[in-house]
Amino acid sequence: GAGVSQTPSNKVTEKGKYVELRCDPISGHTALYWYRQSLGQGPEFLIYFQGTGAADDSGLPNDRFFAVRPEGSVSTLKIQRTERGDSAVYLCASSPVLSTDTQYFGPGTRLTVL
Amino acid sequence: SQQGEEDPQALSIQEGENATMNCSYKTSINNLQWYRQNSGRGLVHLILIRSNEREKHSGRLRVTLDTSKKSSSLLITASRAADTASYFCATDGPTGNMLTFGGGTRLMVKP
């Protein structure tokens, strides 16, 4: 079946602008995770959802970052007033249940803030 | 913050040689996983080893885990040019359900 998809694959924006990054998880997966990967580093956790609710948002770096999953499927990561330091690859993953055992990753969205 | 350190940061070998990558972590874990990433994009799960296991094999991959030393190693035998990628270890984080990744080893296998 289809894997995790993320759109857009690349996003270039200017400092101060607002961006939305979308994640479509594998159908039926109840858990959804967002990670951020800066150049040359490993991914870092941002937030995860169990169903519609944000179960843990402790990895969000500041209040410019927000994520939603209103119907328990598609999720959108929203970044306000983007800064150059937000440039990174944003990775989404999903799993059948909330677990670290079986997270399936999407291809990521590469965000570049000029 | 990153849980683990990986060693070496970069590794270059000839096709046919074995590649060994090491990972150290800081807190107690339930499991440790290795992932592969091509060209800085999607992560592909390779293998998972639980805290009560010491060694696990999958094809040309061998993973060891030493919980007393808080370290793991990934061995790729008979490497191929197609194995060129970045390899990351990941542990279940201190509070459970998220993955905490190391900094990665960039492997280059020369044909």
Side-chain angles (χ1 to χ4, degrees):
Chain A
V4 177
S5 63
Q6 293 186 246
T7 55
S9 56
N10 288 284
K11 175 70 177 179
V12 180
T13 191
E14 293 180 344
K15 182 175 177 295
K17 299 289 188 182
Y18 168 82
V19 296
E20 290 189 352
L21 311 179
R22 176 186 168 114
C23 172
D24 283 81
I26 293 172
S27 178
H29 281 194
T30 62
L32 185 147
Y33 314 80
W34 284 98
Y35 295 84
R36 178 170 74 170
Q37 185 176 24
S38 300
L39 189 64
Q41 298 184 19
E44 292 187 314
F45 166 74
L46 294 177
I47 184 173
Y48 69 75
F49 293 85
Q50 170 71 353
T52 60
D56 186 337
D57 64 358
S58 61
L60 294 178
N62 52 60
D63 62 6
R64 295 186 297 105
F65 288 74
F66 190 70
V68 295
R69 195 186 185 200
E71 298 177 356
S73 178
V74 170
S75 177
T76 304
L77 179 65
K78 308 181 180 193
I79 311 174
Q80 298 177 321
R81 304 183 304 280
T82 52
E83 299 177 355
R84 291 194 180 88
D86 299 335
S87 296
V89 175
Y90 288 81
L91 295 163
C92 175
S94 70
S95 60
V97 296
L98 198 60
S99 169
T100 57
D101 279 18
T102 50
Q103 292 187 18
Y104 299 87
F105 281 80
T109 292
R110 184 179 300 280
L111 175 66
T112 303
V113 182
L114 301 177
Chain B
S1 63
Q2 309 229 267
Q3 157 83 299
E5 299 289 331
E6 295 191 53
D7 168 53
Q9 291 186 327
L11 179 61
S12 181
I13 59 174
Q14 293 294 134
E15 211 166 26
E17 294 180 339
N18 295 341
T20 299
M21 291 159 264
N22 302 295
C23 166
S24 60
Y25 56 91
K26 298 173 185 173
T27 63
S28 61
I29 62 171
N30 294 308
N31 64 64
L32 184 144
Q33 303 176 55
W34 286 88
Y35 282 83
R36 167 195 168 123
Q37 185 178 47
N38 287 79
S39 304
R41 299 310 286 260
L43 290 154
V44 175
H45 182 262
L46 295 176
I47 194 165
L48 178 150
I49 186 166
R50 300 202 182 276
S51 60
N52 61 353
E53 298 176 306
R54 292 296 166 259
E55 187 171 312
K56 203 161 184 180
H57 297 253
S58 176
R60 293 184 296 114
L61 305 180
R62 189 188 90 168
V63 169
T64 62
L65 178 64
D66 186 334
T67 53
S68 66
K69 295 180 180 178
K70 292 188 169 58
S71 68
S72 174
S73 67
L74 172 67
L75 168 68
I76 305 175
T77 60
S79 63
R80 305 166 181 168
D83 294 329
T84 294
S86 290
Y87 292 82
F88 295 91
C89 67
T91 58
D92 52 341
T95 56
N97 299 298
M98 78 287 280
L99 291 171
T100 306
F101 288 84
T105 293
R106 283 159 287 288
L107 174 66
M108 175 174 288
V109 182
K110 300 176 184 176

